[in-house]
Amino acid sequence: MSPPFKALSVTEHYQKTPLTLLDFDEPELAKGEILIENAAVAQNPIDWKQIDFDIGIMDVPWVVGGDVAGTVYKVGPGVTAFKTGDRVISFVERKTARHSGFQTYTIGNVTRTVKLPSSYTFEEGSTIPLAYVTAGAGLEAALDIVLPAPPADIPAASKNQPLLVWGGSSSVGAFVIQLAKAAGYTVLSTSSPRNHAYVKSLGASAVLDYNDPDVVSKIRAAAGPNLSLAYDSISENGSIEASVASITASTGKVAVILPPEPEKYSDQSTDSVKVVHTGAIKASDNPLIGQRVYGILSALLETHTLIANPVKVIPGGLLGINEGLQLGREYKVSGEKLVYTIADSKF
Ligand SMILES: NC(=O)c1ccc[n+]([C@@H]2O[C@H](COP(=O)([O-])OP(=O)(O)OC[C@H]3O[C@@H](n4cnc5c(N)ncnc54)[C@H](OP(=O)(O)O)[C@@H]3O)[C@@H](O)[C@H]2O)c1
C-alpha cells in the first residue's frame, strides 16, 4: 500500500475558509533533494500571512509551512550525505507545493537539512529550522558577526561586548540569543515579564519588559556605553525605533527582519545608527553564510546545546493547523512554538 500522501491545502487565493486535506502522488526528486516522511511540522507567522495576504501562493492548490522534522524516506540523485531512515530537520524551500511543510511527505534540499540527534524529539526539532536560520543569517549578514565554525570553541571566548535582542521570547529571538552567546556576546533582551525566566534560561544576562515606558533608558543603563549591535526580532509596533534608541555607542547597527512599511518607516537609520534589513533568505543568497549557519547548527545539535523552542502541540495533526493559524492571526503565541504531530492526523 502506498503511504498516505496528504497535504493540508490552500485551494483559493486569499482563502478565508479552513484549509482542507488533498491527496497527491509521490513526487519525483531532483539532484540534491530528499523526500522526508514528516513526523512533526511547526508553524511560523509567515504561514498565515502567506494565506491572508497571498504571498508566495504560486498556484492553487498550494501548501504552506517552512519547518519539518522526520525521517528520510528516499534520496534523490547525487545525495550522499543522507540515507533512508536518517532523522532530519529541514527548512523547506516552499518553491512548489511539494517543497512545503504542511503535508505528510516533503521534498527537502540537502543544503537546508541537518541530522537530528535522538536526544531531540521530532516536535522539538521542528521548532528549529526557519527561525534558527533567520537568526543566524541575520547575525552574519546584517551585523557582520562571523559565527564560530566547528571545531572552533563554542561558545567563543567572551568579547566583553553587549548585544541587544529585541523580543527574546519570540522563536527567532530565542535563537538569536543562543547564537550571540555562542559567538561570545553578552546579551540583553526584552520580553513580557511572564517570559523573563525563559529568556534568561536561553542565555540573556538582563531581560527588560518592552511594555515599560522606560524600557529604552533601562536597556541603556544595563548595557553601559558600548552597545553598538541590536537584532530586532520583532521589527514592528515601535520595536525598530526602540532598538535604535537603545544603542549607546557612538555608531551602531540594528538588524530588522520585516520589510518596513515605507509610509511608517521611511528611514529608520539615524546619522549614527544604521538599520539593516535581513532575513532567512540571506543564508541561501550567500552560500558561505549558509554553510556557517548550518555548520554550527549541526554542532549545537550534536552536543545538545541548542535549546529548541518550547513546544505546544495542537491536537489533530495536519487538520489542527487551521486552529493554530487562527491563534497566530490573533497574536496569541507567546514564548512557544505551535507544532503538529503528523501521526495525530485522521485521514
Ligand atoms: N525575514 C525573515 O526571514 C523572517 C523569518 C522568520 C520570522 N520573521 C518575522 O519575524 C517576526 C517574529 O517571528 P517569530 O516566529 O519569532 O514570532 P513568534 O515566536 O510567533 O512571536 C511571538 C513573540 O513575540 C513577542 N513580541 C511580540 N511583540 C513584541 C514587541 N513589541 N516587543 C518584544 N517582543 C514582542 C511575544 O513576546 P511576549 O509574549 O513575551 O510578550 C511573543 O513571545 C514575525 O513577524 C515573522 O513574520 C521574518
Side-chain angles (χ1 to χ4, degrees):
M1 206 172 95
S2 64
F5 291 111
K6 302 269 186 191
L8 189 76
S9 302
V10 179
T11 50
E12 55 188 283
H13 291 280
Y14 296 99
Q15 186 161 340
K16 300 260 183 298
T17 52
L19 309 187
T20 47
L21 287 173
L22 294 180
D23 293 313
F24 61 94
D25 293 329
E26 181 175 338
E28 296 288 320
L29 298 176
K31 199 167 167 228
E33 291 184 338
I34 54 178
L35 189 60
I36 301 167
E37 180 176 1
N38 297 330
V41 296
Q43 183 181 313
N44 291 281
I46 190 63
D47 303 327
W48 64 262
K49 292 177 190 177
Q50 281 195 267
I51 299 164
D52 291 7
F53 303 114
D54 202 43
I55 304 166
I57 309 285
M58 312 288 193
D59 204 354
V60 285
W62 192 255
V63 179
V64 297
D67 276 331
V68 309
T71 49
V72 176
Y73 179 74
K74 218 170 240 186
V75 298
V79 174
T80 53
F82 297 94
K83 60 179 189 323
T84 301
D86 282 347
R87 303 175 94 244
V88 291
I89 54 175
S90 190
F91 171 28
V92 295
E93 292 176 287
R94 296 167 292 172
K95 63 183 184 184
T96 74
R98 301 286 77 82
H99 292 80
S100 301
F102 292 166
Q103 53 196 340
T104 52
Y105 291 76
T106 294
I107 299 175
N109 181 317
V110 291
T111 64
R112 300 161 63 115
T113 303
V114 298
K115 288 185 186 158
L116 182 71
S118 57
S119 60
Y120 291 88
T121 65
F122 285 121
E123 284 75 10
E124 288 170 328
S126 72
T127 70
I128 297 170
L130 187 153
Y132 165 88
V133 172
T134 307
L139 287 170
E140 287 251 354
L143 301 185
D144 298 320
I145 291 173
V146 176
L147 295 169
D153 283 347
I154 302 171
S158 170
K159 292 187 159 39
N160 284 320
Q161 269 184 53
L163 184 148
L164 171 66
V165 180
W166 196 279
S169 65
S170 69
S171 181
V172 174
F175 293 119
V176 180
I177 292 173
Q178 296 183 71
L179 284 174
K181 284 286 289 180
Y185 288 85
T186 305
V187 176
L188 297 98
S189 191
T190 63
S191 77
S192 290
R194 64 175 173 272
N195 286 320
H196 282 187
Y198 164 56
V199 176
K200 280 196 178 150
S201 76
L202 298 169
S205 38
V207 188
L208 289 308
D209 177 6
Y210 64 86
N211 292 303
D212 178 343
D214 292 329
V215 63
V216 169
S217 54
K218 288 181 179 168
I219 292 169
R220 293 175 66 90
N226 297 323
L227 178 61
S228 64
L229 298 174
Y231 191 121
D232 179 1
S233 50
I234 303 301
S235 307
E236 58 186 348
N237 299 327
S239 67
I240 303 179
E241 295 91 329
S243 297
V244 169
S246 297
I247 297 296
T248 55
S250 54
T251 59
K253 270 193 219 161
V254 174
V256 301
I257 57 170
L258 284 182
E261 298 163 42
E263 69 282 7
K264 214 164 145 197
Y265 304 125
S266 53
D267 185 0
Q268 295 296 308
S269 298
T270 64
D271 287 346
S272 52
V273 182
K274 201 166 173 233
V275 173
V276 186
H277 297 135
T278 187
I281 194 151
K282 300 290 176 190
S284 27
D285 279 357
N286 182 330
L288 256 185
I289 290 180
Q291 277 164 27
R292 280 205 290 268
V293 168
Y294 287 101
I296 182 176
L297 174 57
S298 290
L300 293 171
L301 292 174
E302 275 160 26
T303 51
H304 203 91
T305 38
L306 190 73
I307 302 171
N309 292 163
V311 167
K312 179 172 182 173
V313 175
I314 305 276
L318 287 175
L319 278 171
I321 291 172
N322 283 310
E323 179 189 336
L325 291 171
Q326 201 49 37
L327 293 172
R329 290 181 178 105
E330 294 168 11
Y331 289 86
K332 286 186 177 156
V333 180
S334 170
E336 59 192 7
K337 194 94 169 169
L338 305 188
V339 171
Y340 308 89
T341 302
I342 299 298
D344 290 349
S345 312
K346 291 203 171 47
F347 299 132

